[in-house]
Amino acid sequence: KNEVEQSPQNLTAQEGEFITINCSYSVGISALHWLQQHPGGGIVSLFMLSSGKKKHGRLIATINIQEKHSSLHITASHPRDSAVYICALNYGGSQGNLIFGKGTKLSVKP
Amino acid sequence: DTGVSQNPRHKITKRGQNVTFRCDPISEHNRLYWYRQTLGQGPEFLTYFQNEAQLEKSRLLSDRFSAERPKGSFSTLEIQRTEQGDSAMYLCASSPRLYTGELFFGEGSRLTVL
């Protein structure tokens, strides 16, 4: 069993829709990251969470430590949001050894 | 642009050859990380430096792999005697001296072993 599971694996949405991507994990963590990866490979860090909720523009990330679950929400989605969204965990006090999910591929149609 | 820079962006090599990738982190970021990503998978941790010290290494890093950060600035990742299974994207990331948790990634170096 993977320590981190993302759902859905693939998601197609119409422009303007509200999108939710989920991340569930089974290990104790010190922090959880949401990353965005565009075609070609470049990765951008969106959020790092250890509790509660963070918001940046149209993106909102939440985490429930007790339930070992995090969600990434995108409001008013746009075709430029099309990318792979990856959940990654910091665990065991390790600062570099992230455990990555396989990612959720999001495609937003105009 | 002062982001994380990786070179080369793409390397095609024949099995058995050695390859070296370079990562230039954001200036004054003392933490530097290498990850490997195969097609359709999330990245996997390879190794981590704080300044010039290599503090963590994954078991994925076989004896054919070596990474250095000699002066605590740029880093190199060398793969000796490449195998087809080494074909992947090699990603470098750095984070600031005062660790905020945010990682700044380079564009990656894609390796194709024929």
Side-chain angles (χ1 to χ4, degrees):
Chain A
K1 182 182 185 302
N2 293 329
E3 292 96 343
V4 55
E5 299 276 358
Q6 288 188 237
S7 62
Q9 287 186 311
N10 293 281
L11 181 56
T12 300
Q14 288 297 126
E15 184 173 356
E17 285 185 0
F18 180 84
I19 288 163
T20 296
I21 298 170
N22 296 299
C23 176
S24 295
Y25 54 93
S26 58
V27 295
I29 66 170
S30 54
L32 181 146
H33 300 253
W34 281 103
L35 309 170
Q36 180 192 56
Q37 186 170 32
H38 281 283
I43 293 179
V44 174
S45 176
L46 300 175
F47 296 104
M48 188 193 76
L49 295 163
S50 53
S51 65
K53 175 180 174 178
K54 287 189 176 180
K55 184 177 189 292
H56 182 70
R58 295 180 295 107
L59 302 178
I60 302 167
T62 64
I63 188 168
N64 185 318
I65 297 294
Q66 287 74 28
E67 295 186 3
K68 291 186 165 60
H69 182 268
S70 177
S71 293
L72 176 69
H73 306 285
I74 305 175
T75 60
S77 59
H78 190 276
R80 66 174 174 266
D81 297 326
S82 299
V84 176
Y85 292 84
I86 302 171
C87 168
L89 314 176
N90 271 117
Y91 76 108
S94 169
Q95 294 182 353
N97 194 350
L98 296 178
I99 304 174
F100 292 82
K102 292 186 177 181
T104 294
K105 185 174 181 180
L106 172 65
S107 179
V108 182
K109 306 294 186 186
Chain B
D1 184 89
T2 57
V4 178
S5 176
Q6 291 190 245
N7 289 287
R9 294 291 312 280
H10 197 176
K11 177 74 175 177
I12 301 172
T13 191
K14 292 183 179 179
R15 190 174 51 188
Q17 298 294 306
N18 299 343
V19 296
T20 299
F21 299 112
R22 175 176 170 132
C23 173
D24 288 88
I26 293 172
S27 179
E28 296 187 357
H29 279 194
N30 70 337
R31 299 165 194 266
L32 186 148
Y33 313 85
W34 285 100
Y35 300 95
R36 181 175 71 183
Q37 186 177 27
T38 53
L39 204 61
Q41 302 296 315
E44 298 170 296
F45 170 77
L46 292 179
T47 190
Y48 154 56
F49 290 86
Q50 181 167 318
N51 299 314
E52 65 275 11
Q54 190 173 20
L55 296 187
E56 289 185 60
K57 288 173 61 174
S58 166
R59 281 172 288 181
L60 293 174
L61 217 62
S62 74
D63 57 4
R64 297 185 298 105
F65 288 70
S66 62
E68 293 183 341
R69 194 182 183 198
K71 295 183 179 179
S73 56
F74 74 91
S75 176
T76 57
L77 177 69
E78 181 182 16
I79 308 173
Q80 296 182 325
R81 305 181 303 281
T82 52
E83 302 172 356
Q84 287 185 322
D86 297 331
S87 295
M89 177 76 84
Y90 291 85
L91 294 161
C92 176
S94 67
S95 65
R97 184 180 307 275
L98 292 177
Y99 182 60
T100 65
E102 184 176 8
L103 296 175
F104 296 81
F105 284 84
E107 292 292 316
S109 293
R110 184 171 295 282
L111 174 64
T112 302
V113 181
L114 302 176

